Amino acid sequence: MRPGQGHAAGVREDVGRCIYELAAELYPICRSITGNGVRRSLGILGRHIDIETTEVPSGTQVFDWTIPREWNIAGAYIENERGERVVDFRESNLHVLNYSTPVRAVLPLEELKEHIYTIPEQPDLVPYRTSYYAERWGFCMSHRALQALPQGDYTAVIDSTLEDGSLTYGEHVIAGASEDEVLLSAHVCHPSLANDNCSGLALLTVLAQELGRRATRLSYRFIFAPGTIGAITWLARNEARTERIKHGLVLSCVGDAGGPTYKRSRRGDALIDRAMAHVLKHAAPSAVIEDFSPYGYDERQYCSPGFNLPVGSFQRSKYGTFPEYHTSGDNLDLIAPEHLAHSYRLFLAAIDILENDRVLINTSPKCEPALGKRGLYGTIGNDKGAAERNMAMLWVLNLGDGQHSLLDIAERAGLPFATIDAAAARLEEARLLVAPDVARD
Amino acid sequence: MRPGQGHAAGVREDVGRCIYELAAELYPICRSITGNGVRRSLGILGRHIDIETTEVPSGTQVFDWTIPREWNIAGAYIENERGERVVDFRESNLHVLNYSTPVRAVLPLEELKEHIYTIPEQPDLVPYRTSYYAERWGFCMSHRALQALPQGDYTAVIDSTLEDGSLTYGEHVIAGASEDEVLLSAHVCHPSLANDNCSGLALLTVLAQELGRRATRLSYRFIFAPGTIGAITWLARNEARTERIKHGLVLSCVGDAGGPTYKRSRRGDALIDRAMAHVLKHAAPSAVIEDFSPYGYDERQYCSPGFNLPVGSFQRSKYGTFPEYHTSGDNLDLIAPEHLAHSYRLFLAAIDILENDRVLINTSPKCEPALGKRGLYGTIGNDKGAAERNMAMLWVLNLGDGQHSLLDIAERAGLPFATIDAAAARLEEARLLVAPDVARD
Amino acid sequence: MRPGQGHAAGVREDVGRCIYELAAELYPICRSITGNGVRRSLGILGRHIDIETTEVPSGTQVFDWTIPREWNIAGAYIENERGERVVDFRESNLHVLNYSTPVRAVLPLEELKEHIYTIPEQPDLVPYRTSYYAERWGFCMSHRALQALPQGDYTAVIDSTLEDGSLTYGEHVIAGASEDEVLLSAHVCHPSLANDNCSGLALLTVLAQELGRRATRLSYRFIFAPGTIGAITWLARNEARTERIKHGLVLSCVGDAGGPTYKRSRRGDALIDRAMAHVLKHAAPSAVIEDFSPYGYDERQYCSPGFNLPVGSFQRSKYGTFPEYHTSGDNLDLIAPEHLAHSYRLFLAAIDILENDRVLINTSPKCEPALGKRGLYGTIGNDKGAAERNMAMLWVLNLGDGQHSLLDIAERAGLPFATIDAAAARLEEARLLVAPDVARD
């Protein structure tokens, strides 16, 4: 059996549950673009797969950017005059403006409000806000809770530190038969947001476990890095090796009921773009496929013109378009094992294409070969499957001219790649198809 | 007058009736992929056009296939205990499984049923079934008739032979000014099916008569061969001459009220593909044009990757999609002179394009020439025809730059090829257009 | 500031009114393809911009054509037996068949009718008719007025001359930094038709005034010539200089409420075609964009195959499709300052693209540059404009690879060229974008 072939059917029944539970374990941690939240998260992933962690000191120049000071937080709250905590970081780490400077101050409600972020249109949700590059302190809370606060003095306490330290990212590599790499990347910088962070980290970890069990043709590099600055840092430190990256996916928001959404790489017609479009066409009819745009997740960096890597982006609901996006509504209720499993299967199907797409040559190209005498031509009758398998064989033979890969053929035939691949395998066994180098001998 | 030009209008009024009557004469014969049914059918065509017949012995290797033993049948029936024939080959040759081995046996109804084919969903129709490459005996009948049979013993008799002999095909060639050939092919292996066989054989014969009366630029090769094995045999014996084939059409089911349907050649943009699409656009608005697929009639062989000939496929209703397909419903009531005549005119119009498409050069390319002073510019007024003729002249002049053929121009102008061709002829007379070799002098 | 940049906002509030008043001044003049009407019209334009007038004598050969004799008219009328004028050129110059030979005759109504043109379907409108190349005399009138004429004798008087003279056309040139020219052309041969002539002449004149106030990169050549024969004459006399013409527009009917309509040049993908399509997409959602066809206005000559200049054609309502076309209904009520101003702004926006489209190179192509630290990244919040400006910067940086011009980027981003151009200007100031020659140093 060729490396990577035919494993898709072997997906564990409970894969969605496994991913969900790992996402749930990551969910409570207060992550940011630096700090111990990232380290703890990578530690959890490291219990499932080997994670190589890199620490890059504050102040390091990475292309046009500088690694910022490291942020950590021990706690935060707002107390009213009666000593009651009206907002508390222990309830949700979203309550603190991410990267907030430390503060300990007593101030009247009106002054406090200048440091409070809410969403008036969604009065029951706490927003997720950050201030990485402008020093500022602040709290986030529901608009309804803010409106319920009586006049009076409040004590605001943020027990955070912003000091020289380092930025942390993690990698996991699976060596395949070839040095050609598939880059799979998820951001690890969002605090308690289940879909927009935890889902991607958990899915990639379980995917890495699965691929680790296979003998693959391609190598796989998993990157768990803080958004933007983390991807930039990785690229700055690995510029020379980027030429090995032949395919890639940035993923996030892989656990909700929406979409799915695939955004093409900047190249637009890379094999990953065609593979994802093919898989979605057959396995996710509601999918939306979008052209590249320079806004989004870390495909922005991988697809910057100086790299222009063939890296697409996958989400279920597109960022910014679902009401829970960047709010406390993006919690463990928003994601579900079935959606995580669906996303996971889509990736495996796309990986099957990356692994197995190939050109084969018809050794009997003048007229159709007599399939019947070889027992290859299934009885058609009412068996739709047999008819499809026969059509797949006819297509692979007809386009087995050295000009068409199996994915080309699957697209032209309108059949799933797996069906075409299986037909090709049968015809290879019968020596009616051979690899181009064999055909030349 | 150029060869082939301007004959379309000369189509006989009664052409549909002529084709229908010839199809009706062919209809009763029991054809198969070998045997006397093919020979008798070619004999009938041979009364109208010269047919060169080729016999290829059983056992001959043709590419990956072997010519099978020859099948012939004298009669067949099922008799009940009272000596009544409940099924009789004399009523319809569809009643016998085509290529059935001989049998003479008495057996109870339940055992007999294992050898009987019906269509439960279409209980009044007799199916057409074959078993060319697996030795088997059987009968076909209507499901209703089968259900009416009482229990009891039946005598099944098939008086057939399956012996070394030969496969037969026929050819008719019209030599044109050039050795470049147009291949026109219809299968001659179906028994009493009017649309799926007889219609195509009859239409091609009448078309050959018409083209034989013309002085054509191209040569025309008509092939009347058994499906699949016949086309493969022809290709195996004529491999060297296939390079002369510049255009081709496989046709079948040309007499019913549906479609029409054109399936592009494997190349997809051959001149025949463009010519047929053009003709259908203007003369058959309900037409469906499909991309090539490797299932269908003998275009499967002509378009196999080792040949990849520019051969498309034409039907009215597409095979497999009309309820009478491969049943006793495909009888002389399914086809009609008007539909046969329509198909015939479409082919002649496409042939006019193959014959007359050419590049012409505007001898007065800087600004428009003054058409009025040459009496070429028709009064427009309310005369839609004059307006279209004027537009056709303007288009031919504007695109007469050596980069556009008349068909290119017709497509760009959205006008029928015949209109563009006529405008070009007027401008050639006025020396405002000349052939490229003249322009270079 | 680069030449030509950023002037679009400086359009005078009253530009529509200015154009309208100039059109109204031109409206009463009886123009034809030769004669004093053209000279008087050019004289009026010459009070606003410098017009260089060329006179080409009757009998001069221009490519396949000959300059005709010059036509002038002093008056014309039809008088009934009581000496009452039932038709009078003084009321409308449309009443005379344009280029009518002189006549002075008394004839009964039935004979007179052979020289009278009406539109029975539009009985209240006077048609505009010409007979340039066939000598004929005639009158045009409303069908209702014709029907009201009682039997009797009528005196028909046309006081015209058709004598050797010359054909007249006018030019205005604005020299830019480069010799590359933009050709802007309108016909000056129609008598009292407001939309189909006067609107285009007036708009071009006001546009020339505006461009004359700017320092442009490109040179601009305005041609005011009689339709067909005038454009042919200009091309015949300026054949060598046509290679300077890099972009062009023929315009007419620019003042009514319909369309707008843009017809692509024969090339189909010239920069002017892309610029007009881009501008119309963003500023005129109801616009219709048509492929080139060889019928219409003087693009027929500019786009003849011997020249094939990148010249498109702009109208609001397309000629021949609005009921007032070539009738007395095409009067000053049909056009309005707002529509004239809208057309004018569309041209200026397209010219901004012609002037400013360019390729720029991202000097920080590996990952995104840190826009925030340069103060370039606007706060998004609810500011849709800031979000669009940010997106524009990201697009220009991402596609700033030397392969994409600003128009390419605007098309890909789905943003107006002006937004992309402004983002590029900000990034050029920050030295994040530079010209290709700078990038190579």
Side-chain angles (χ1 to χ4, degrees), chain A residues 228 263-266 290-305 311 313 318-319, chain C residues 362 367-369 371 377 380 387-400 409-410 412-415 420 427:
Chain A
T228 305
K263 186 172 96 174
R264 293 187 183 93
S265 75
R266 184 178 183 275
E290 298 186 340
D291 279 332
F292 178 77
S293 85
Y295 194 69
Y297 289 95
D298 285 332
E299 69 277 9
R300 293 164 69 160
Q301 313 309 329
Y302 300 123
C303 297
S304 57
V311 175
S313 162
K318 185 180 173 179
Y319 69 85
Chain C
N362 179 344
C367 299
E368 290 174 13
L371 298 176
Y377 211 73
I380 294 186
E388 191 172 283
R389 286 193 294 276
N390 287 339
M391 276 308 293
M393 282 193 294
L394 292 177
W395 273 114
V396 177
L397 289 167
N398 190 273
L399 296 179
I409 298 172
R412 179 110 169 236
L415 293 172
I420 291 292
L427 293 166

Side-chain angles (χ1 to χ4, degrees), chain B residues 130-430:
Chain B
T130 68
S131 187
Y132 301 138
Y133 298 101
E135 295 204 3
R136 200 179 293 175
W137 68 266
F139 288 87
C140 299
M141 58 193 292
S142 78
H143 197 65
R144 211 174 297 281
L146 176 65
Q147 286 180 308
L149 291 186
Q151 293 301 323
D153 283 345
Y154 289 85
T155 304
V157 175
I158 297 178
D159 184 9
S160 65
T161 58
L162 198 53
E163 297 168 348
D164 279 350
S166 59
L167 175 144
T168 313
Y169 64 77
E171 286 175 274
H172 173 76
V173 175
I174 297 170
S178 153
E179 284 205 335
D180 289 350
E181 276 185 10
V182 181
L183 179 79
L184 295 162
S185 166
H187 59 290
V188 66
C189 56
H190 284 26
S192 291
L193 297 171
N195 198 30
D196 187 6
N197 199 20
C198 301
S199 71
L201 297 170
L203 188 150
L204 276 195
T205 301
V206 174
L207 185 63
Q209 290 182 292
E210 171 64 25
L211 294 178
R213 284 190 283 271
R214 301 185 179 188
T216 58
R217 182 174 69 78
L218 298 163
S219 296
Y220 291 80
R221 178 173 301 273
F222 295 78
I223 298 184
F224 308 97
T228 305
I229 185 69
I232 291 170
T233 301
W234 187 87
L235 283 163
R237 295 171 56 91
N238 294 276
E239 192 174 342
R241 71 182 314 136
T242 55
E243 65 187 23
R244 294 189 192 174
I245 299 171
K246 304 304 182 193
H247 323 282
L249 270 182
V250 170
L251 50 87
S252 65
C253 303
V254 297
D256 68 287
T261 308
Y262 178 71
K263 186 172 97 175
R264 293 186 183 93
S265 75
R266 183 178 182 273
R267 299 184 184 184
D269 62 351
L271 184 58
I272 184 66
D273 298 320
R274 296 177 55 217
M276 284 301 300
H278 181 81
V279 166
L280 291 171
K281 177 181 167 189
H282 288 281
S286 67
V288 173
I289 296 180
E290 299 185 341
D291 280 331
F292 178 76
S293 84
Y295 194 69
Y297 289 96
D298 285 331
E299 70 277 9
R300 292 163 70 162
Q301 312 310 329
Y302 300 123
C303 297
S304 57
F307 289 109
N308 196 25
L309 297 175
V311 174
S313 163
F314 177 93
Q315 301 143 72
R316 297 190 68 84
S317 289
K318 185 182 174 179
Y319 68 86
T321 64
F322 54 100
E324 300 87 355
Y325 176 73
H326 276 197
T327 74
S328 53
D330 183 357
N331 55 43
L332 291 169
D333 292 337
L334 184 65
I335 65 174
E338 67 188 280
H339 307 313
L340 292 161
H342 184 236
S343 300
Y344 177 88
R345 286 198 191 92
L346 295 173
F347 299 142
L348 272 190
I351 286 170
D352 275 346
I353 296 176
L354 302 181
E355 288 280 332
N356 296 316
D357 189 32
R358 63 202 185 278
V359 170
L360 291 170
I361 308 289
N362 179 343
T363 59
S364 181
K366 288 177 178 164
C367 298
E368 291 174 14
L371 297 176
K373 73 181 183 190
R374 295 178 175 85
L376 287 168
Y377 211 72
T379 305
I380 294 188
N382 288 324
D383 182 350
K384 188 168 169 292
E388 192 172 281
R389 286 193 295 275
N390 287 339
M391 276 308 294
M393 282 192 294
L394 293 177
W395 272 114
V396 176
L397 288 167
N398 190 273
L399 296 179
D401 56 3
Q403 306 299 312
H404 300 86
S405 78
L406 295 189
L407 180 58
D408 295 334
I409 297 171
E411 288 178 347
R412 181 110 169 236
L415 293 172
F417 180 84
T419 306
I420 291 293
D421 190 21
R426 279 199 300 283
L427 294 166
E428 280 184 284
E429 279 177 43

Side-chain angles (χ1 to χ4, degrees), chain C residues 141-158:
Chain C
M141 60 193 292
S142 79
H143 197 67
R144 209 176 297 281
L146 176 63
Q147 286 181 306
L149 291 186
Q151 294 300 324
D153 284 344
Y154 290 87
T155 305
V157 176
I158 297 178

Side-chain angles (χ1 to χ4, degrees), chain C residues 119-360:
Chain C
I119 318 173
E121 304 78 29
Q122 296 175 298
D124 293 315
L125 298 178
V126 180
Y128 160 56
R129 290 286 162 83
T130 69
S131 187
Y132 301 138
Y133 298 101
E135 294 205 3
R136 200 180 294 175
W137 67 266
F139 288 87
C140 300
M141 60 193 292
S142 79
H143 197 67
R144 209 176 297 281
L146 176 63
Q147 286 181 306
L149 291 186
Q151 294 300 324
D153 284 344
Y154 290 87
T155 305
V157 176
I158 297 178
D159 184 9
S160 65
T161 57
L162 198 53
E163 296 169 349
D164 279 348
S166 58
L167 175 145
T168 313
Y169 63 79
E171 286 175 276
H172 173 76
V173 175
I174 298 170
S178 153
E179 285 205 336
D180 288 348
E181 276 186 10
V182 181
L183 178 79
L184 295 160
S185 166
H187 59 288
V188 66
C189 56
H190 284 25
S192 290
L193 297 171
N195 199 30
D196 187 8
N197 200 21
C198 302
S199 71
L201 297 170
L203 189 151
L204 276 195
T205 301
V206 175
L207 185 64
Q209 289 181 294
E210 170 64 24
L211 293 178
R213 284 188 285 271
R214 300 184 180 189
T216 58
R217 182 175 70 79
L218 297 162
S219 296
Y220 291 80
R221 178 172 303 271
F222 295 78
I223 298 183
F224 308 97
T228 305
I229 185 69
I232 291 169
T233 302
W234 187 87
L235 283 163
R237 295 171 54 91
N238 293 276
E239 192 174 341
R241 72 182 311 137
T242 56
E243 66 187 24
R244 294 189 192 173
I245 299 171
K246 305 302 182 194
H247 323 281
L249 269 182
V250 170
L251 51 87
S252 65
C253 304
V254 297
D256 68 287
T261 307
Y262 178 71
K263 185 172 97 175
R264 293 186 183 94
S265 75
R266 184 177 181 276
R267 299 184 184 184
D269 62 350
L271 184 58
I272 185 67
D273 298 319
R274 295 178 55 215
M276 284 301 299
H278 181 82
V279 165
L280 291 171
K281 176 182 167 188
H282 288 281
S286 67
V288 172
I289 297 180
E290 298 186 341
D291 280 330
F292 178 76
S293 84
Y295 194 69
Y297 289 95
D298 285 331
E299 70 278 8
R300 294 164 68 161
Q301 313 309 329
Y302 300 123
C303 297
S304 57
F307 289 110
N308 197 24
L309 297 175
V311 175
S313 163
F314 178 93
Q315 301 143 73
R316 297 190 68 84
S317 289
K318 184 180 173 179
Y319 68 87
T321 66
F322 55 100
E324 300 88 353
Y325 177 73
H326 276 198
T327 75
S328 54
D330 183 358
N331 56 42
L332 291 168
D333 293 337
L334 184 65
I335 66 173
E338 67 188 280
H339 307 313
L340 292 161
H342 184 236
S343 300
Y344 178 87
R345 286 197 191 91
L346 294 173
F347 299 142
L348 272 190
I351 286 170
D352 275 345
I353 295 176
L354 302 180
E355 288 279 332
N356 296 315
D357 189 32
R358 62 202 187 280
V359 170
L360 291 169

